[in-house]
Amino acid sequence: MGKRAIREAGRGVTLLEVIVSVAILAMVSLLIYGAFDGMAKGKRGVEQINQRYREGRLAIRRLAREIPSAFLSAHQPYNQSLIVRETLFVGENTTPADRLDFTSFSHRRVLRDSHESDQNEVSYFGSRDPDVPGKVDLARRESSLIDLEADRGGSVQVLAEDIDLFDLEYLDPLLGLWQERWDSTSATGQLGRLTLQVKVTLVLRGGPSGQTIPFVARIALAMQSPLTFALPQ
């Protein structure tokens, strides 16, 4: 090999070649970052959608556990002034979320030796988020003490956030028709009676591609007449 060949073999990389190499490396790195970033965003999106489905299923499961335990009781003092509690089943038709207040045997004691029974007041209703305009959450209220105010007291928790619809329908066992309202306390409603079934429609926002996520369930009640086992026949 001559001296000229030796000099050519020992030549370094030019500045232009370095710039081109760095540019190609930067482009490849950008493409790889974009791919991983897209995968991460896709994963977060799928997790959020799965969370919305889970939230809806848990809300329906809670409704399906508590509504069948609804009850009415005809046991009241003869002296009306001594009445301190009232059992009821009242469903109101409102937008975008209906409201349901009822008494049930669904209370679970979590504190040992607490002076509580399985009886409780339960309410389901729409609650507007004070921090997000236009956002409505499905809320649940429970009180272990049954009194004369079935829509107040106890503790409130959010079951499902950002709902689009919470609709309830009630199957009248006497008429065989679905009713949008139910009132066991009113003579113009369904005085002293419980519905046969409750049809629940819960629609959540935040589904795939911005769509809503619907949940529908039919929940049968265990009883339709008030408890009268301690009353004289």
Side-chain angles (χ1 to χ4, degrees):
M1 182 182 297
K3 294 182 179 180
R4 181 178 179 182
I6 295 175
R7 287 197 301 270
E8 289 180 354
R11 289 177 55 189
V13 181
T14 64
L15 179 59
L16 180 59
E17 292 172 336
V18 173
I19 294 176
V20 172
S21 301
V22 172
I24 294 174
L25 181 61
M27 293 178 61
V28 172
S29 301
L30 185 61
L31 291 174
I32 294 175
Y33 172 79
F36 278 101
D37 184 60
M39 292 174 59
K41 290 181 179 179
K43 181 180 178 181
R44 287 195 296 270
V46 171
E47 290 176 349
Q48 291 176 357
I49 293 174
N50 288 339
Q51 176 61 27
R52 297 298 285 160
Y53 275 99
R54 180 177 181 274
E55 198 171 354
R57 287 193 298 268
L58 289 178
I60 293 295
R61 186 180 302 173
R62 175 61 70 89
L63 286 158
R65 183 179 72 84
E66 294 184 333
I67 290 179
S69 300
F71 78 97
L72 300 176
S73 176
H75 304 90
Q76 294 285 13
Y78 290 107
N79 187 344
Q80 298 295 311
S81 63
L82 299 179
I83 296 177
V84 295
R85 51 179 280 161
E86 180 184 28
T87 58
L88 78 171
F89 191 93
V90 177
E92 301 177 7
N93 184 26
T94 56
T95 302
D98 289 350
R99 182 182 181 99
L100 177 61
D101 301 288
F102 62 99
T103 48
S104 78
F105 292 117
S106 61
H107 180 65
R108 291 182 175 179
R109 293 188 300 172
V110 295
L111 298 178
R112 186 176 181 180
D113 298 329
S114 60
H115 298 285
E116 300 174 353
S117 69
D118 57 353
Q119 302 179 33
N120 60 354
E121 293 176 348
V122 181
S123 300
Y124 289 94
F125 56 94
S127 176
R128 298 192 178 276
D129 193 326
D131 300 324
V132 182
K135 181 185 176 185
V136 179
D137 302 327
L138 175 61
R140 173 186 175 273
R141 182 196 68 89
E142 180 185 5
S143 173
S144 60
L145 177 64
I146 299 178
D147 53 22
L148 296 176
E149 296 182 330
D151 59 346
R152 299 181 182 180
S155 59
V156 178
Q157 64 179 138
V158 174
L159 282 186
E161 295 186 358
D162 199 11
I163 67 173
D164 186 69
L165 177 68
F166 178 62
D167 182 72
L168 300 174
E169 295 181 63
Y170 312 92
L171 181 59
D172 193 325
L174 297 182
L175 303 177
L177 300 175
W178 289 97
Q179 308 290 339
E180 293 185 348
R181 297 177 177 85
W182 196 275
D183 192 347
S184 66
T185 65
S186 173
T188 58
Q190 296 79 19
L191 182 63
R193 295 194 292 119
L194 286 170
T195 178
L196 185 63
Q197 290 184 12
V198 178
K199 181 179 179 181
V200 181
T201 302
L202 175 63
V203 181
L204 304 183
R205 296 174 179 172
S209 302
Q211 299 179 356
T212 57
I213 306 174
F215 298 88
V216 180
R218 286 189 179 184
I219 304 172
L221 275 71
M223 64 181 74
Q224 283 75 49
S225 301
L227 298 174
T228 58
F229 55 85
L231 296 179
Q233 301 297 325

